[in-house]
Every structure is written in C-alpha cells, then in structure tokens.
Amino acid sequence: MLKRRTVLQGVLAGALVSGCSSGTTGGTPTADLDNPFSVAGDVPVEVLAGEEYGGFAAAAYRKKYPAANVTATVSGKLRDVALPRFAAGSPPDVVLNSGDGRLELGRLVGQGQLADLRPLLEAPAWDNADATVQDAVLPGMLEAGRYDGSQRTVNYIATVYGLWYSASLFQRFGWDVPRTWPELLALGTEMKAAGLGPFVYAGAHPYYLLELVLTLAAKTGGHDVVKRIDNLEDGAWKDESVTRAISAVGELGKRGLIAPGSAEFDHIASQKRFLASRAGLLPCGNWLENEMKPLVPPNFALTMIGVPPLDGSPALARGLHVAATAPYLVPEQAKNRAGGQEYLRAMLTKDVAAQVTEESNQLTIVRGAADGLEIGTALRSARDLLTAAGDQVITWYFADWYPGFATTAAQSTGQFLTGGLQLSEWTARIQSAADKLKQDKAVTKYHRD
C-alpha cells in the first residue's frame, strides 16, 4: 500500500503538469509539499470579496510569505467592480462571490474566465501535508462549484436547513422533539391545544415549503430522488417518494396545524410570529439567527432540528439539506493565479474557517472547523446536525440552474398547501414544466452524477 505522503507527491506532480502556476517574478520557485503551486513569495495577491471574511486568510498568507503584499477589498457592488476588470483581462487573483451584486457565474464559466480548481483540491492541505485539501472538506460540498465536470468554484459557507423551535418553550410545555413525521403531526395537535399556531411559514416565499417537500422526499427515497429532479429525468416529480412527501406536508393544512396568516406572510413576518412564541415550528436555514438577532428573546434557546422522516425506516435517516454557498473563484487571467490558489488553500484551514465561524456566525465547509467553539444554541444545533449527517447531506441544484422553473415549483407548492391545487394537479403542473424545460433548446442544461 502506498503511504499517504507518496500519494500526495504524485498529486503534486499532476498539479504541476496542469500548469496552475503563473504570475511569478525573479524565477519560479521549485514546487514542494509546502508550496505546491510554485508561488513566488514576493508577488502581490489581490482579493475582492463581497463579505469581510473573504480577507481572513491574508494574515496566514503574509506569515508564510512575508514579502507578499496581500490586499483584500470588500465591496457591496461586486458585479460593478469586477466585470469591467474581467472584460479588460486584469481581474483580481481571488474573488468571493457573495453579498449583494453577485457575479453571474454561469456566464463567466461560458466565457472561459474561471480557472479549474481541481489542482487546488488535489494539493496538500495547508495545515496537514499528509492530507489533500479535498480531504478537509465536508462530504457533498464541492458539487455546487462544478460546471461540466470542472471545479470552477469552491463554495465556502455550509448553509443548513431544518425546522426551528424554542427549547425553552418545549421545556415549559414538556414537549419532546419529534423523531418522525407522525410524531410531528401529534406535536402540532398539542401545540394547537395550547393556543399556538403550530407551524408557520413565509407564504410570500413558498420555496421554503418546496425545500421541506424535497428534503422529506430525499430522506425517504435517497439521493437519487433529487438527482433525477436536477437532471430533468422523465417522471422525476412523479416518484413515489415525492408524492408521499407532498402529501405529508399537505396534512399540516388538512389538520389545521398552520398558523393563521402564513399564506400571506413574508419571511420577516413569519419569523417575528415564531420568535414571539405564537408558533412552535418554522422551516428556515441557519441564517435565521443573524437575520433576526435583535428580536431573539433572551433565554429563547433557538434550536434547529432536522426534518423528521416520514417513518422509522428512511433511506437517509440522518439526511439533512445543506447548500454550499459563497463561491470562491480564481480568474483564469489573474496576474497571480498561483497565489490565488495558494490563498484559497489557506482559507480552507481549520484555523481560518474557525475564525470565519466565530466572527460571522456561519458554518463553513471545512471539516471539524467549528468543533469546540463557544457558539450559541442556534449555530451549535446546526453544527451538530451537519456533523451527524456525514455522507447523508442532501443537495440539489435545479433552483440555481433553472430559477424560473424553481419559481413555478415553489408557487405550485404554496397553492397546494392552501387548497388551491389537488395532489394530482400539483404533480402534473410541475412535471409538465420540467418536461417543457427539458425540450427548450434555448436553455443551457446541466447534469450531476
């Protein structure tokens, strides 16, 4: 058996053959496990970021390369700043595509503007030369950055979806966290008897409901359920797991377990009702605490649980919907492309990722980076769910690939829950829209393995 370091030396050789090194002065340093991209330590590195944490690896980079001038600029108008530079052939070395005014990545990929980051993932990890960078990343978190088989971005933030509740409220009423969907329905009946609207959602943004349906479907039938949906396969929306999931969510409405007004609420209104303890459960991502921080009551004990499976024998018992967001990219025409990849290698260390979590209250894709941190109940519960999920992380991409179709699916789900559509109509409408999209040659299609 080959030793790990021997394997990595082979990977390093492959990275050099791929020609990922560029933008050096005074001769090209010899590549080694500590400098896999032949970075010249006196060449500047320019970072453009949509959020402040995009510059957090600058200190580690400067410590390793004291002669390098690392500049990190945060801009709320990323598109306006970056696009002219891409067009002129002088883009920054690293871009964090997050915040307002994000770049349209599909267009840049089509123009050949983004470097392939596969050599970065195959390089030795910055903080562990016996492992690769990819080894440090949580399962299922890299697919979001792949375009036609090439790794064009590394999406850095792990956004966890689930159901929120107040642990202090549950303790006051003696309620147990539901382990299956029938238990959730029974809990809803108890909440209703206690005067709460058991389940509240943002009807103005029905994607939250669709997210719930797809998570349930994937937990029931496995990863292939959402893969077939992403790939626009014939009959994907008619899958039995999808039908069972939408029927289960429909039971919330049939049993009167929806908080009054939910169909008209926007996300802020639904979250305010939940934080006022007028509703017991809220579907949302783990950005909730950051978004509503001033309104979270003291001792509320905001806590996330995973969506309970339909029964006791799901395909993905620990299944958890996680979306990798905040893409990092290295432009193909960057002056210091080698330095750009080296900067990302530093971002993908536990130390830097832990700093991102501590200061931004978000989870990253770096394995174990949030372990042991002093964080609140909200982020801690999301972190623990993510750790427990392992290879049962549930992902889908059609909402990003085909936003118009995703809107149709979400709106149909909202109409179903309010009684505007029957089950057969919901299935037929969304499947018909998917079939029409599949036949539309004017729309670029994507595929996931």
Side-chain angles (χ1 to χ4, degrees):
M1 179 181 292
L2 291 174
K3 292 183 178 179
R4 185 66 168 158
R5 184 172 288 270
T6 303
V7 173
L8 284 169
Q9 287 171 338
V11 167
L12 177 60
L16 291 175
V17 170
S18 72
C20 63
S21 171
S22 67
T24 60
T25 61
T28 302
T30 301
D32 56 32
L33 289 172
D34 196 46
N35 185 4
F37 308 122
S38 301
V39 169
D42 58 348
V43 177
V45 177
E46 183 187 2
V47 182
L48 178 62
E51 296 184 62
E52 184 179 358
Y53 66 80
F56 281 9
Y61 195 100
R62 293 189 192 106
K63 183 177 180 180
K64 185 173 181 178
Y65 303 101
N69 180 26
V70 183
T71 59
T73 302
V74 180
S75 174
K77 298 181 178 180
L78 206 64
R79 187 185 305 111
D80 295 341
V81 174
L83 281 183
R85 297 190 55 184
F86 274 99
S90 59
D93 302 310
V94 181
V95 177
L96 170 60
N97 190 38
S98 63
D100 295 330
R102 291 185 291 272
L103 297 164
E104 187 179 338
L105 294 182
R107 186 183 298 271
L108 292 175
V109 171
Q111 294 171 352
Q113 293 275 18
L114 305 188
D116 188 354
L117 298 181
R118 173 53 54 185
L120 164 68
L121 300 176
E122 294 177 346
W126 179 288
D127 48 1
N128 180 8
D130 289 329
T132 65
V133 171
Q134 183 166 334
D135 291 335
V137 176
L138 291 165
M141 293 293 97
L142 294 172
E143 282 188 349
R146 291 178 188 150
Y147 294 80
D148 295 328
S150 297
Q151 193 76 42
R152 299 300 175 180
T153 70
V154 171
N155 294 23
Y156 192 75
I157 297 297
T159 300
V160 179
Y161 290 80
L163 294 175
W164 291 100
Y165 74 100
S166 164
S168 61
L169 183 71
F170 271 47
Q171 184 177 29
R172 188 194 320 161
F173 283 97
W175 292 330
D176 293 326
V177 172
R179 294 166 298 178
T180 64
W181 197 258
E183 288 184 8
L184 181 144
L185 295 176
L187 172 63
T189 301
E190 293 185 42
M191 289 179 170
K192 187 176 180 180
L196 278 72
F199 185 89
V200 66
Y201 69 95
H205 306 289
Y207 179 78
Y208 291 101
L209 291 176
L210 180 61
E211 187 278 330
L212 183 63
V213 171
L214 293 176
T215 301
L216 270 173
K219 292 191 78 155
T220 302
H223 294 297
D224 285 346
V225 173
V226 284
K227 285 184 180 181
R228 289 196 294 269
I229 286 174
D230 279 344
N231 293 334
L232 302 176
E233 291 187 15
D234 295 344
W237 288 89
K238 298 179 180 179
D239 186 286
E240 181 184 2
S241 296
V242 177
T243 303
R244 290 185 62 196
I246 185 64
S247 298
V249 173
E251 283 294 310
L252 294 170
K254 291 179 179 179
R255 300 190 185 200
L257 303 181
I258 304 294
S262 291
E264 290 77 39
F265 287 156
D266 64 9
H267 61 295
I268 298 298
S270 64
Q271 290 162 192
K272 282 183 175 179
R273 188 180 184 99
F274 167 69
L275 293 173
S277 294
R278 296 174 62 195
L281 294 166
L282 170 78
C284 190
N286 71 295
W287 63 80
L288 175 65
E289 183 180 34
N290 284 351
E291 187 170 68
M292 304 298 288
K293 202 161 193 174
L295 297 180
V296 179
N299 303 316
F300 189 81
L302 182 62
T303 308
M304 175 186 277
I305 59 170
V307 176
L310 294 182
D311 54 41
S313 57
L316 302 175
R318 305 186 312 279
L320 183 75
H321 177 209
V322 183
T325 61
Y328 271 104
L329 58 95
V330 174
E332 183 69 26
Q333 298 183 67
K335 291 181 181 178
N336 188 7
R337 186 153 48 93
Q341 298 216 38
E342 183 76 340
Y343 183 89
L344 292 190
R345 201 164 69 99
M347 282 296 309
L348 291 164
T349 62
K350 283 188 177 182
D351 285 348
V352 175
Q355 183 187 0
V356 172
T357 294
E358 288 180 316
E359 298 195 26
S360 73
N361 203 41
Q362 300 181 89
L363 299 172
T364 74
I365 65 170
V366 179
R367 192 189 300 266
D371 293 350
L373 297 182
E374 291 294 329
I375 52 181
T377 59
L379 195 63
R380 185 165 66 246
S381 61
R383 177 200 65 191
D384 293 346
L385 287 171
L386 181 59
T387 300
D391 61 359
Q392 293 191 11
V393 162
I394 297 166
T395 57
W396 57 79
Y397 306 107
F398 74 90
D400 293 322
W401 293 345
Y402 317 114
F405 168 64
T407 297
T408 296
Q411 290 175 343
S412 298
T413 305
Q415 291 171 0
F416 172 80
L417 197 58
T418 57
L421 290 177
Q422 298 299 312
L423 175 60
S424 60
E425 294 172 320
W426 180 87
T427 302
R429 179 177 294 186
I430 300 178
Q431 187 61 62
S432 177
D435 294 342
K436 183 177 180 180
L437 172 63
K438 184 177 181 178
Q439 298 303 319
D440 189 347
K441 295 182 180 179
V443 178
T444 301
K445 307 301 191 304
Y446 301 94
H447 181 86
R448 62 180 293 198
D449 296 325

